[in-house]
Amino acid sequence: MKLNKTKMGRTFMIAALSAVMLATGWQSPAKVEAAANAVPSYEVKFLLSNDIVLKQDFTLKNEVKDAFQINEPAARMLVEYFDTTDLSLNDSGWNVRFRKKEDKKKYELTYKKRYPVVNGDINAALTQANLDGFSAADTNYEAEVDWGYSKQTLSFSNDKEESTSKGLNLPNESEALNLLVSKIPGKLDKTNAPGWGTARLLQAYAHGPILASRYSGTFEGLETDIEVWPIIGANGSGTEYVVEISFKTDDYQTAASKRTNLMNLLNNKGWLVPADSLKTNLVLERY
């Protein structure tokens, strides 16, 4: 019986390929495992009543300083955010911040991507971020859960620096913007479309600056900060003082237990404002 030539050729090719595979040890490509979700740290934040915790000169009252072992004068810093007139960066989950601390010889440039945490499901937010490339494998970003009075927000921060001199100085708006554009991270630039981030930043302007004060103390063994931000009033005049207390920890259980303890202390003192801090949004909307 004659074999079909096509079948004979196919049989020969399969046999030859098998021989090559055996000789070279060639194997099919291994299945690529998905990167693990990022592991976040936690920052607990509460608002304090400015009418109660601040003196007439808008510095912290001694009773508040004593409660958190604050012994040094407040450190000052200038902070501004860059976004377009219609806040297109913020609407896409990004905040771009330019900051200068009085005692540091560097400008701090921060690009932060935010994800809402729904019903306390941090893992779901981490998984969604992972789909966008924010995973444990990306060491350019620090993952953090901001835990306020009633809500949580997952954020990924990419921090850059630029050398300068000590003091309360900021470059002019165009110079600051050029620095931010030159150091833009790829994930921001590719948001929505390639080059989107750069195009939006080039259309952005400075919201601020704010001359903020930061007091450093402790609460139950954790470093704790109290910041005072003077922000222009909602009607475009006057000043609204936003006072925020916060601490950071890498452990969820520590964050949860210390958060409860801090909330109880603030409640008992009558210092707590039962609302989430929106100081970044206030700056973006009012400047």
Side-chain angles (χ1 to χ4, degrees):
M1 182 177 70
K2 293 183 179 180
L3 291 174
N4 182 283
K5 290 183 178 181
T6 302
K7 290 184 178 180
M8 290 178 62
R10 187 182 300 126
T11 302
F12 176 78
M13 290 176 64
I14 293 173
L17 181 58
S18 299
V20 171
M21 291 169 63
L22 288 172
T24 61
W26 181 88
Q27 297 178 352
S28 61
K31 183 179 180 181
V32 178
E33 294 292 334
N37 284 351
V39 178
S41 60
Y42 299 86
E43 182 172 15
V44 171
K45 298 179 179 180
F46 290 119
L47 285 175
L48 305 182
S49 174
N50 56 21
D51 293 336
I52 300 176
V53 303
L54 297 182
K55 300 178 184 178
Q56 289 187 341
D57 62 357
F58 305 109
T59 60
L60 276 183
K61 289 183 176 179
N62 291 336
E63 181 185 359
V64 181
K65 291 181 179 180
D66 293 342
F68 299 102
Q69 296 82 53
I70 296 171
N71 301 312
E72 300 294 329
R76 299 188 300 170
M77 56 188 172
L78 286 169
V79 187
E80 58 188 5
Y81 293 88
F82 280 79
D83 207 334
T84 58
T85 302
D86 61 354
L87 303 183
S88 57
L89 291 169
N90 186 63
D91 289 346
S92 292
W94 286 96
N95 288 145
V96 178
R97 185 183 69 195
F98 200 102
R99 182 170 67 183
K100 176 63 174 66
K101 296 176 181 175
E102 185 175 19
D103 61 341
K104 301 296 182 183
K105 292 183 176 181
K106 59 187 178 183
Y107 297 129
E108 299 174 358
L109 291 64
T110 299
Y111 310 81
K112 180 182 289 189
K113 173 65 173 176
R114 309 180 318 277
Y115 292 88
V117 176
V118 181
N119 297 325
D121 194 345
I122 296 172
N123 286 329
L126 287 167
T127 298
Q128 178 58 53
N130 197 340
L131 294 175
D132 293 340
F134 295 95
S135 69
D138 190 343
T139 57
N140 294 317
Y141 289 82
E142 292 187 5
E144 182 177 83
V145 173
D146 297 327
W147 196 345
Y149 180 78
S150 63
K151 71 176 185 177
Q152 297 172 321
T153 302
L154 172 65
S155 66
F156 290 82
S157 295
N158 182 303
D159 298 317
K160 306 289 180 65
E161 295 177 353
E162 183 72 16
S163 296
T164 184
S165 57
K166 283 187 178 181
L168 281 173
N169 61 291
L170 285 175
N172 64 46
E173 186 176 47
S174 61
E175 290 174 344
L177 187 56
N178 286 338
L179 281 173
L180 289 167
V181 170
S182 70
K183 296 177 182 292
I184 188 171
K187 285 186 174 62
L188 169 53
D189 194 33
K190 297 174 184 176
T191 298
N192 298 324
W196 180 89
T198 295
R200 293 301 177 273
L201 262 184
L202 289 172
Q203 298 171 358
Y205 70 93
H207 297 253
I210 309 299
L211 177 56
S213 301
R214 174 183 288 173
Y215 298 84
S216 297
T218 61
F219 174 71
E220 296 187 354
L222 294 177
E223 292 184 9
T224 302
D225 293 326
I226 298 179
E227 293 187 2
V228 180
W229 285 47
I231 298 175
I232 194 169
N235 62 0
S237 64
T239 302
E240 177 181 343
Y241 285 85
V242 176
V243 186
E244 182 183 88
I245 186 169
S246 65
F247 67 79
K248 295 184 178 184
T249 177
D250 291 333
D251 180 64
Y252 175 86
Q253 293 300 332
T254 300
S257 62
K258 301 288 188 182
R259 175 181 176 275
T260 298
N261 294 348
L262 179 57
M263 182 185 289
N264 289 339
L265 171 65
L266 297 176
N267 256 326
N268 292 336
K269 294 284 189 179
W271 298 341
L272 179 67
V273 175
D276 290 295
S277 178
L278 298 172
K279 69 177 187 293
T280 300
N281 284 20
L282 292 180
V283 175
L284 289 172
E285 292 166 1
R286 297 182 183 181
Y287 290 81

